[in-house]
Structures are given as structure tokens and as C-alpha cells.
């Protein structure tokens, strides 16, 4: 082989490698997810989840109170808490309307239309897991590299979730997930609040204490931080898989 041929071959291989880099990164993000689902029970078991009913304790500052949260695969959700001797619904979604009870008046109050629509188009799709069938949800992934998070070596994955409406304008909806390099499970997610008085604030959700829940493994400890300061921590005590739930459970009650 002539010197010129060798040079051309080397150049061709170099160009080929450069051309392959983006697809290798995308493939690597998918490989991380494959490992994640495999390590937490297998993707088939995740797909069998129609609903989950979680009970445990939530803490905000020094106050701790029992909670029950029911989440369904079609996006419906209900969170009940026992607070200061009263049981009330902190937040619920019936498939169209996001609502909750006013603690003082014990009356149900609907969230505004934009907030409900954003929940329907975004948050409601993330159960039982944001990465399950992520392409069908319209999400795209980008592997950002490796770094340290919560004292652990992690893979950082950027999730583009489309858009949300903020005061009538579309804004990008982006989240970052940090996967433990050893066990391939998410130990933290990070996003920025884009509406309301906390707009611009960074929110980190820390996942730990993975335990069996039915046929999968699920984090039983979830801590929410705002700009690095703990705002709420949740300790799950029990998870019931695919519970039987009446449709009326999620409906906003009529005003008294």
C-alpha cells in the first residue's frame, strides 16, 4: 500500500470516528437506561405497572406528617396528608384538572387552566418512570458526560421534555438526571422552576434507599432541595402495586 493510500485510510478512519461520536453518545444514554431497568426489575415488569399507592411520612422543616399518594399510569394522582389532626387532599389530578384542598377552609380549589394543562402534558407522563417509553412521550436524551453528585460518580443525562406554557408563552422544559455509575440508578434529578414566586430557583430531587416494590426496585427516600437547601423529605413505608381505585377518588368535590 502506498504512503498516499495509508494517509487516506487514516483520514477516512478519523472522519468515520468523528461521524460516529454523536450516535455513540445517544446509544450510551440508551445503554445506561437498559442497565437501569435491568437492575430494577426488568422493563417488562415496569410496563405492567398501572398504578401505585404509597404510604409514609413527609417532613417539612421540624414538622412530620403521614401521607398517602396514589398515582395511575394514565396520569391521575391524589396526595392525602394528615396534618395537625386533619386529613385533607394536598393535590390531585383527575386527568384534566389539577386541584387541592385549602387547609383553612377545607374547600376544594382548582388550579388555573395553564397549570393543569402543563401538568397534563408533562408531569402526568412521568409515572411510573420518565424514561419508560421516553420516545413515545416525545422526550429526547443527551448524555452530558460524567461527574460527581451527592458524593457519587455519576452519568449526567439531559432530558428535553418539550415545552411548558409560562404566562401564555412556550418555554423549554428540561431536566437533568444523575445516574450512579456503579448501579445505574438515578440518585438525583435537577430542574429549574419556571413559574410563580420561586421562578428561576433550582430544584434537586435526591433518590435513595432503593427497595423492592412488587417486582421492581424503587427509591423509598426522596428529598427535595431548593437551591441546595432541603425543603421536603419523604420516607415511604409501604407501596401497593396496581391498587383498585374508584374513578371518583380523583374527582374534585363540589363546593359545600
Amino acid at each position: 500500500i502506498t504512503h498516499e493510500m495509508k494517509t487516506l485510510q487514516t483520514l477516512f478512519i478519523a472522519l468515520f470516528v468523528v461521524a460516529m461520536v454523536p450516535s455513540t453518545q445517544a446509544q450510551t444514554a440508551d445503554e445506561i437506561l437498559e442497565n437501569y431497568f435491568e437492575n430494577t426489575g426488568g422493563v417488562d415488569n415496569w410496563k405492567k405497572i398501572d398504578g401505585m399507592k404509597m404510604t409514609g411520612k413527609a417532613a417539612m422543616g421540624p414538622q412530620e406528617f403521614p401521607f398517602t399518594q396514589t398515582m395511575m399510569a394514565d396520569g391521575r394522582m391524589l396526595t392525602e396528608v394528615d396534618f395537625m389532626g386533619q386529613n385533607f387532599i394536598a393535590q390531585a389530578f383527575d386527568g384534566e384538572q389539577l386541584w387541592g384542598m385549602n387547609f383553612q377552609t377545607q374547600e376544594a380549589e382548582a388550579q388555573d387552566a395553564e397549570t393543569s394543562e402543563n401538568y397534563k402534558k408533562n408531569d402526568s407522563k412521568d409515572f411510573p418512570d420518565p424514561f419508560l417509553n421516553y420516545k413515545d412521550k416525545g422526550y429526547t436524551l443527551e448524555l452530558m458526560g460524567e461527574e460527581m453528585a451527592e458524593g457519587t460518580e455519576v452519568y449526567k443525562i439531559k432530558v428535553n421534555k418539550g415545552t411548558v406554557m409560562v404566562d401564555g408563552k412556550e418555554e423549554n422544559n428540561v431536566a437533568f438526571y444523575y445516574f450512579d455509575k456503579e448501579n445505574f440508578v438515578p440518585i438525583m434529578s435537577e430542574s429549574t422552576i419556571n413559574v410563580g414566586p420561586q421562578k428561576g430557583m433550582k430544584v434537586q430531587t435526591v433518590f435513595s434507599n432503593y427497595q423492592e416494590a412488587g417486582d421492581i426496585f424503587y427509591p423509598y427516600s426522596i428529598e427535595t432541595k431548593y437551591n441546595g437547601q432541603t425543603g421536603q423529605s419523604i420516607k415511604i413505608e409501604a407501596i401497593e402495586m396496581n391498587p383498585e381505585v374508584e374513578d371518583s377518588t380523583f374527582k374534585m368535590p363540589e363546593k359545600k
Side-chain angles (χ1 to χ4, degrees):
I1 299 175
T2 64
H3 175 71
E4 287 80 5
M5 280 292 285
K6 277 186 178 177
T7 306
L8 274 172
Q9 276 183 336
T10 308
L11 184 62
F12 177 77
I13 289 164
L15 285 169
F16 181 72
V17 169
V18 169
M20 283 297 285
V21 166
S23 60
T24 303
Q25 283 193 336
Q27 187 184 25
T28 306
D30 281 332
E31 281 175 358
I32 291 165
L33 293 190
E34 280 176 30
N35 282 317
Y36 161 51
F37 284 119
E38 193 59 42
N39 288 355
T40 54
V43 74
D44 288 341
N45 282 327
W46 277 93
K47 285 179 179 177
K48 288 176 190 169
I49 299 170
D50 290 323
M52 285 168 65
K53 187 174 184 177
M54 295 182 272
T55 52
K57 289 194 170 64
M60 294 178 78
Q63 293 179 312
E64 188 180 70
F65 43 90
F67 78 92
T68 301
Q69 185 173 55
T70 305
M71 295 186 290
M72 308 303 286
D74 60 11
R76 291 176 301 162
M77 170 275 298
L78 184 95
T79 305
E80 291 179 89
V81 299
D82 284 307
F83 189 64
M84 294 173 66
Q86 290 194 60
N87 177 273
F88 77 108
I89 295 164
Q91 194 177 50
F93 182 65
D94 64 8
E96 296 293 334
Q97 180 68 60
L98 196 64
W99 62 276
M101 286 172 78
N102 182 310
F103 181 68
Q104 268 79 31
T105 65
Q106 288 292 298
E107 293 278 3
E109 295 177 353
Q111 296 270 7
D112 64 83
E114 188 174 85
T115 305
S116 287
E117 193 62 19
N118 282 337
Y119 189 90
K120 182 180 178 181
K121 287 185 174 177
N122 294 279
D123 305 64
S124 73
K125 296 194 291 189
D126 282 354
F127 178 82
D129 189 278
F131 295 101
L132 191 66
N133 302 325
Y134 76 86
K135 289 177 184 172
D136 296 341
K137 297 170 183 175
Y139 296 173
T140 58
L141 306 185
E142 191 180 339
L143 182 63
M144 306 299 288
E146 301 171 19
E147 57 182 78
M148 295 292 289
E150 296 294 302
T152 305
E153 289 187 2
V154 295
Y155 297 108
K156 182 179 182 179
I157 292 179
K158 180 180 181 180
V159 187
N160 292 291
K161 294 183 172 185
T163 58
V164 290
M165 296 299 288
V166 181
D167 298 327
K169 294 178 184 173
E170 278 193 340
E171 288 195 12
N172 290 331
N173 187 18
V174 173
F176 297 92
Y177 281 79
Y178 300 83
F179 283 77
D180 177 343
K181 280 182 69 177
E182 190 176 345
N183 301 303
F184 293 95
V185 295
I187 62 165
M188 187 171 79
S189 70
E190 188 175 59
S191 58
T192 304
I193 296 174
N194 43 27
V195 291
Q198 294 175 310
K199 185 171 182 175
M201 193 177 277
K202 280 255 190 322
V203 181
Q204 290 116 359
T205 306
V206 181
F207 311 102
S208 60
N209 190 23
Y210 277 81
Q211 294 183 37
E212 278 187 75
D215 296 322
I216 64 160
F217 281 82
Y218 198 82
Y220 275 62
S221 295
I222 301 166
E223 181 185 6
T224 307
K225 297 179 179 180
Y226 298 93
N227 284 347
Q229 298 295 312
T230 299
Q232 176 182 285
S233 59
I234 288 172
K235 304 287 183 198
I236 297 169
E237 293 168 352
I239 296 179
E240 181 188 349
M241 285 295 184
N242 300 332
E244 286 189 25
V245 185
E246 295 289 331
D247 288 346
S248 58
T249 303
F250 305 98
K251 287 287 177 195
M252 188 171 81
E254 299 289 329
K255 290 264 184 190
K256 291 172 188 170

